[in-house]
Amino acid sequence: MNFPASKFDFLAIGGAAMVVLGSFAPAASVTLYGDVSYWEVAGPEAAIMILGAVAALVCLALRKSLFARISAGIMWVALLWPYLQGLMEPEPDGFFEEATAAVVDTTTSIATDIALNFMDVTWGTIVLALGCLFVTLAAIMEH
């Protein structure tokens, strides 16, 4: 019996399903707000991740592994976009910009500490990250 699908195709299908599930599953539990999903927090990025996972599946089905790798890369960029956006912010130039940035950094630091102390990462985040990893592994391992 000739079976055209490889084990990497099943890994990609499972990973894509995990990306979709993880996007809508509870990603974090915030004390005052309740459970929030990645879709609620970062809707456009979640949509790009889902489209990237589907595109990687289509590319793998068509045996276009280069395009599958590119689609997997797009998924990771969408997942890491908030972090990357913070890295690309310009440094303040003048005294007033530096003073404002210092106040904002202090306020952001306090808000981050509060958020970290009153927020628990839930199972949806793990499912989402594993889904991205599985799709990426399938795209890399397929030749």
Side-chain angles (χ1 to χ4, degrees), residues 45-142:
E45 289 87 354
I48 291 169
M49 285 179 53
I50 292 170
L51 289 173
V54 170
L57 280 178
V58 170
C59 292
L60 286 172
L62 296 172
R63 301 293 180 232
K64 305 287 186 187
S65 59
L66 175 63
F67 293 117
R69 291 178 189 132
I70 292 170
S71 297
I74 289 170
M75 280 186 349
W76 286 105
V77 169
L79 180 64
L80 299 173
W81 183 251
Y83 176 73
L84 295 173
Q85 198 172 19
L87 288 178
M88 293 185 287
E89 287 181 7
E91 293 294 323
D93 291 336
F95 171 75
F96 289 112
E97 288 87 2
E98 288 182 25
T100 303
V103 170
V104 169
D105 286 345
T106 303
T107 306
T108 303
S109 176
I110 292 169
T112 302
D113 289 342
I114 291 171
L116 289 176
N117 290 325
F118 292 100
M119 183 177 86
D120 292 322
V121 175
T122 59
W123 61 273
T125 303
I126 296 167
V127 170
L128 181 61
L130 284 175
C132 288
L133 180 64
F134 290 167
V135 171
T136 303
L137 287 175
I140 290 172
M141 302 298 240
E142 186 72 31

Side-chain angles (χ1 to χ4, degrees), residues 1-40:
M1 175 189 262
N2 187 5
F3 197 71
S6 73
K7 61 184 173 186
F8 301 117
D9 293 334
F10 293 116
L11 186 65
I13 291 168
M18 291 173 77
V19 168
V20 173
L21 176 65
S23 293
F24 295 101
S29 179
V30 181
T31 303
L32 298 176
Y33 187 74
D35 289 342
V36 293
S37 68
Y38 189 70
W39 183 266
E40 293 171 323

